[in-house]
Coordinates of all heavy atoms in Angstrom, one line a residue:
E801 N -81.0 51.7 -110.3 CA -82.1 52.4 -110.9 C -82.9 53.2 -109.9 O -83.3 54.3 -110.1 CB -83.0 51.5 -111.7 CG -82.3 50.9 -113.0 CD -83.2 49.8 -113.6 OE1 -83.9 49.1 -112.9 OE2 -83.1 49.7 -114.8
M802 N -83.2 52.6 -108.7 CA -84.0 53.2 -107.7 C -83.2 54.5 -107.2 O -83.9 55.5 -107.0 CB -84.2 52.2 -106.6 CG -85.1 52.8 -105.4 SD -86.6 53.6 -106.0 CE -87.7 52.1 -106.0
R803 N -82.0 54.3 -106.9 CA -81.2 55.5 -106.5 C -81.2 56.6 -107.5 O -81.4 57.8 -107.2 CB -79.8 55.1 -106.2 CG -78.9 56.3 -105.7 CD -77.6 55.8 -105.2 NE -76.8 57.0 -104.7 CZ -75.7 56.9 -104.0 NH1 -75.3 55.7 -103.6 NH2 -75.1 58.0 -103.6
A804 N -81.0 56.2 -108.8 CA -81.0 57.2 -109.9 C -82.4 57.9 -110.0 O -82.5 59.1 -110.3 CB -80.6 56.5 -111.2
L805 N -83.5 57.2 -109.8 CA -84.8 57.7 -109.9 C -85.0 58.8 -108.8 O -85.5 59.9 -109.1 CB -85.8 56.6 -109.7 CG -87.3 57.1 -109.7 CD1 -87.7 57.9 -110.9 CD2 -88.2 55.9 -109.5
I806 N -84.7 58.5 -107.6 CA -84.8 59.5 -106.5 C -84.0 60.7 -106.8 O -84.4 61.9 -106.6 CB -84.5 58.9 -105.2 CG1 -85.4 57.7 -104.8 CG2 -84.5 60.0 -104.0 CD1 -86.8 58.1 -104.6
E807 N -82.7 60.5 -107.2 CA -81.8 61.6 -107.5 C -82.4 62.5 -108.7 O -82.3 63.7 -108.6 CB -80.5 61.1 -107.9 CG -79.7 60.5 -106.7 CD -78.4 59.9 -107.0 OE1 -78.2 59.5 -108.2 OE2 -77.5 59.7 -106.1
Y808 N -82.9 61.8 -109.7 CA -83.5 62.5 -110.8 C -84.7 63.5 -110.3 O -84.7 64.6 -110.7 CB -84.0 61.6 -111.8 CG -84.8 62.2 -113.0 CD1 -84.1 62.6 -114.1 CD2 -86.2 62.3 -113.0 CE1 -84.8 63.2 -115.2 CE2 -86.8 62.9 -114.0 CZ -86.1 63.4 -115.1 OH -86.8 63.9 -116.2
M809 N -85.6 62.9 -109.6 CA -86.7 63.7 -109.1 C -86.3 64.9 -108.2 O -86.8 66.0 -108.3 CB -87.7 62.8 -108.3 CG -88.4 61.8 -109.2 SD -89.5 62.6 -110.4 CE -89.8 61.2 -111.5
M810 N -85.3 64.6 -107.3 CA -84.8 65.7 -106.5 C -84.2 66.8 -107.2 O -84.2 68.0 -106.9 CB -83.9 65.1 -105.4 CG -84.6 64.2 -104.4 SD -83.5 63.6 -103.1 CE -83.2 65.2 -102.2
E811 N -83.5 66.4 -108.3 CA -82.9 67.5 -109.2 C -83.8 68.2 -110.1 O -83.6 69.4 -110.3 CB -81.8 66.7 -110.0 CG -81.0 67.7 -110.9 CD -79.9 67.0 -111.7 OE1 -79.7 65.8 -111.5 OE2 -79.3 67.7 -112.6
H812 N -84.9 67.5 -110.6 CA -85.6 68.1 -111.6 C -87.0 68.7 -111.2 O -87.6 69.4 -111.9 CB -85.9 67.1 -112.8 CG -84.6 66.8 -113.6 ND1 -83.8 65.8 -113.2 CD2 -84.1 67.4 -114.7 CE1 -82.7 65.8 -114.1 NE2 -82.9 66.8 -114.9
V813 N -87.5 68.3 -110.0 CA -88.8 68.7 -109.6 C -88.6 69.9 -108.6 O -87.9 69.8 -107.6 CB -89.6 67.6 -108.8 CG1 -90.9 68.1 -108.3 CG2 -89.8 66.4 -109.8
P814 N -89.2 71.0 -109.0 CA -89.1 72.2 -108.1 C -89.7 71.9 -106.7 O -90.6 71.1 -106.5 CB -90.0 73.3 -108.8 CG -90.0 72.8 -110.2 CD -90.0 71.3 -110.2
D815 N -89.1 72.5 -105.7 CA -89.6 72.4 -104.3 C -89.4 71.0 -103.7 O -90.0 70.6 -102.7 CB -91.1 72.8 -104.2 CG -91.3 74.3 -104.5 OD1 -90.4 75.1 -104.2 OD2 -92.4 74.6 -105.0
S816 N -88.5 70.2 -104.3 CA -88.2 68.9 -103.8 C -87.6 69.0 -102.4 O -87.8 68.0 -101.6 CB -87.3 68.1 -104.7 OG -88.0 67.6 -105.8
D817 N -87.0 70.1 -102.1 CA -86.3 70.3 -100.8 C -87.4 70.5 -99.7 O -87.0 70.5 -98.5 CB -85.3 71.4 -100.9 CG -85.9 72.7 -101.3 OD1 -86.9 72.7 -102.1 OD2 -85.4 73.8 -100.8
K818 N -88.6 70.8 -100.1 CA -89.6 71.1 -99.2 C -90.5 69.9 -98.8 O -91.4 70.1 -97.9 CB -90.5 72.3 -99.7 CG -89.7 73.6 -99.9 CD -90.6 74.7 -100.5 CE -89.8 75.9 -100.8 NZ -90.6 77.0 -101.4
I819 N -90.3 68.8 -99.5 CA -91.1 67.6 -99.2 C -90.1 66.4 -98.9 O -88.9 66.6 -99.0 CB -92.0 67.3 -100.4 CG1 -91.2 67.1 -101.7 CG2 -93.1 68.4 -100.5 CD1 -90.9 65.7 -102.1
E820 N -90.7 65.3 -98.6 CA -89.9 64.1 -98.4 C -90.3 63.1 -99.4 O -91.4 62.9 -99.7 CB -90.2 63.5 -97.0 CG -89.8 64.4 -95.8 CD -90.2 63.8 -94.5 OE1 -91.0 62.8 -94.5 OE2 -89.8 64.4 -93.4
Y821 N -89.2 62.4 -100.0 CA -89.4 61.3 -100.9 C -89.4 60.0 -100.1 O -88.7 59.9 -99.1 CB -88.3 61.3 -102.0 CG -88.6 62.3 -103.1 CD1 -87.9 63.6 -103.0 CD2 -89.5 62.1 -104.1 CE1 -88.2 64.5 -104.0 CE2 -89.7 63.0 -105.1 CZ -89.1 64.3 -105.0 OH -89.3 65.2 -106.0
S822 N -90.3 59.1 -100.6 CA -90.4 57.8 -99.9 C -90.3 56.7 -101.0 O -90.5 56.9 -102.2 CB -91.8 57.7 -99.3 OG -92.0 56.5 -98.7
V823 N -89.9 55.5 -100.5 CA -89.8 54.3 -101.4 C -90.6 53.2 -100.8 O -90.6 52.9 -99.6 CB -88.3 53.9 -101.6 CG1 -87.6 54.8 -102.5 CG2 -87.5 53.8 -100.3
H824 N -91.3 52.5 -101.7 CA -92.1 51.4 -101.3 C -91.8 50.2 -102.3 O -92.2 50.3 -103.5 CB -93.6 51.8 -101.4 CG -94.5 50.7 -101.1 ND1 -95.5 50.7 -100.1 CD2 -94.7 49.4 -101.7 CE1 -96.2 49.6 -100.1 NE2 -95.8 48.8 -101.0
C825 N -91.0 49.2 -101.9 CA -90.5 48.3 -102.8 C -91.0 46.9 -102.5 O -91.1 46.4 -101.4 CB -88.9 48.2 -102.7 SG -88.2 49.8 -103.1
H826 N -91.4 46.2 -103.6 CA -91.8 44.8 -103.5 C -90.7 43.8 -103.8 O -89.7 44.2 -104.5 CB -93.0 44.6 -104.4 CG -94.3 45.0 -103.8 ND1 -95.2 44.2 -103.2 CD2 -94.8 46.3 -103.6 CE1 -96.2 44.9 -102.7 NE2 -96.0 46.2 -103.0
N827 N -90.8 42.6 -103.4 CA -89.7 41.7 -103.4 C -89.8 40.6 -104.4 O -89.2 39.5 -104.3 CB -89.6 41.0 -102.0 CG -88.3 40.5 -101.6 OD1 -87.3 41.2 -102.0 ND2 -88.2 39.4 -101.0
D828 N -90.5 40.9 -105.6 CA -90.7 39.8 -106.6 C -89.3 39.2 -107.1 O -89.3 38.1 -107.4 CB -91.5 40.4 -107.7 CG -92.8 40.9 -107.3 OD1 -92.9 41.9 -106.5 OD2 -93.8 40.2 -107.6
L829 N -88.3 40.0 -107.2 CA -87.0 39.5 -107.6 C -86.0 39.5 -106.5 O -84.8 39.4 -106.7 CB -86.4 40.4 -108.7 CG -87.2 40.4 -110.0 CD1 -86.7 41.4 -111.1 CD2 -87.3 39.0 -110.6
G830 N -86.5 39.6 -105.2 CA -85.6 39.4 -104.0 C -84.8 40.6 -103.8 O -83.8 40.5 -103.1
M831 N -85.1 41.8 -104.3 CA -84.3 43.0 -104.1 C -85.0 44.1 -103.3 O -84.5 45.3 -103.4 CB -83.8 43.5 -105.4 CG -82.9 42.6 -106.1 SD -82.1 43.3 -107.6 CE -83.4 43.1 -108.8
A832 N -86.1 43.8 -102.6 CA -86.9 44.9 -102.0 C -86.0 45.7 -101.0 O -86.0 46.9 -101.0 CB -88.1 44.3 -101.3
V833 N -85.3 45.0 -100.1 CA -84.5 45.7 -99.1 C -83.4 46.5 -99.8 O -83.2 47.6 -99.4 CB -83.9 44.7 -98.1 CG1 -83.0 45.4 -97.1 CG2 -85.1 44.1 -97.3
A834 N -82.7 45.9 -100.7 CA -81.6 46.5 -101.4 C -82.1 47.8 -102.1 O -81.5 48.8 -102.1 CB -80.9 45.6 -102.4
N835 N -83.2 47.6 -102.8 CA -83.8 48.8 -103.6 C -84.2 49.9 -102.6 O -84.0 51.1 -102.9 CB -85.0 48.4 -104.4 CG -84.6 47.5 -105.6 OD1 -83.5 47.6 -106.1 ND2 -85.5 46.7 -106.1
A836 N -84.8 49.6 -101.5 CA -85.2 50.6 -100.5 C -84.0 51.4 -100.0 O -84.0 52.6 -99.9 CB -86.0 50.0 -99.4
L837 N -83.0 50.6 -99.6 CA -81.8 51.3 -99.1 C -81.1 52.1 -100.1 O -80.5 53.2 -99.8 CB -80.8 50.2 -98.6 CG -81.3 49.4 -97.3 CD1 -80.4 48.3 -97.0 CD2 -81.5 50.3 -96.1
A838 N -81.1 51.7 -101.4 CA -80.6 52.5 -102.5 C -81.3 53.8 -102.6 O -80.8 54.8 -102.9 CB -80.6 51.7 -103.8
G839 N -82.7 53.7 -102.5 CA -83.5 54.9 -102.5 C -83.1 55.9 -101.4 O -83.0 57.1 -101.7

């Protein structure tokens, strides 16, 4: 889901190529590192 979210924004938001996307993940379900890397 995290990877798909970043891909969706980059595809649908104008000027996405002119900025940087960032991910900030919490570890409540033990997936923070995996989610960040997927982003």
Side-chain angles (χ1 to χ4, degrees):
E801 291 173 328
M802 179 56 83
R803 178 170 183 166
L805 173 58
I806 299 294
E807 290 174 338
Y808 174 87
M809 290 296 166
M810 292 186 68
E811 180 181 352
H812 291 89
V813 176
D815 294 328
S816 282
D817 59 326
K818 298 178 182 177
I819 57 98
E820 295 175 350
Y821 281 97
S822 178
V823 285
H824 177 122
C825 301
H826 279 259
N827 205 39
D828 298 70
L829 295 176
M831 292 189 285
V833 172
N835 287 334
L837 294 174

